Amino acid sequence: MLLDLLAPPLCWSCRSPAARGDPLCRACRRSLRFLPPAPVALRGLETWAPVAYEGAVRDLVKALKFRGAAGVASAMASLIVANAPAGLLAGALVPVPLHAARRRARPFNQSALIAGAISTRARLPVADCLIRTGSKQTQVGRARAARLTGAGTIQADGHPPATALLVDDVVTTGATLAACAAALRAAGARQVGAIAFARTAGR
Ligand SMILES: [Zn+2]
């Protein structure tokens, strides 16, 4: 993208100079805390992420979410593909969908950007087959009944892949991923796993 070419290569976390093509400077890259290679079960779903959601990782997630920085999605995908346990990257990549309200405010979905970058590296197809209904806007100034919709309703649009690997930027409780997995299974997916760039993890 033109913006990437014009921007000086500065670290997205601390704004120190960084090598071209790397969104983090060497010090911030060294600060990344890698998580164990085995997936964890969150709400019954095998979920894996390469790094802990803290420090410079938070800044990368923000840069992707609010700026759509293509170089950041690419760097996240590199870390995922380079560190994923054998056999994990299989099936079709299914990005976690954005809320309808956020879709109107932003032209991109950060999960889809990460899935696209993984797809290029790992040669896996992307199946953007989930939709989320129930607007976030209903949570502001509306009846309590509307707030109870929480994450909204997630549905599969058409036929999901038989083997699906959900992709998100950050996983915390796994509630959204579990709702996505349930929607995929209800629509016929037989095997569902999940990956994210980062996971909240205590020390
Ligand atoms: Zn830095």
Side-chain angles (χ1 to χ4, degrees), residues 84-99:
L88 183 81
L89 295 176
L93 303 165
V94 180
V96 167
L98 279 186
H99 280 283

Side-chain angles (χ1 to χ4, degrees), residues 48-73:
W48 178 82
V51 292
Y53 185 53
E54 61 185 28
V57 165
R58 280 177 178 271
D59 295 321
L60 283 186
V61 167
K62 246 187 271 173
L64 184 61
K65 188 173 266 178
F66 299 111
R67 307 282 294 275
V72 173

Side-chain angles (χ1 to χ4, degrees), residues 11-17 23-29 56:
C11 174
W12 277 98
S13 183
C14 71
R15 311 309 291 168
S16 302
L24 293 177
C25 69
R26 282 163 69 182
C28 287
R29 191 165 265 277

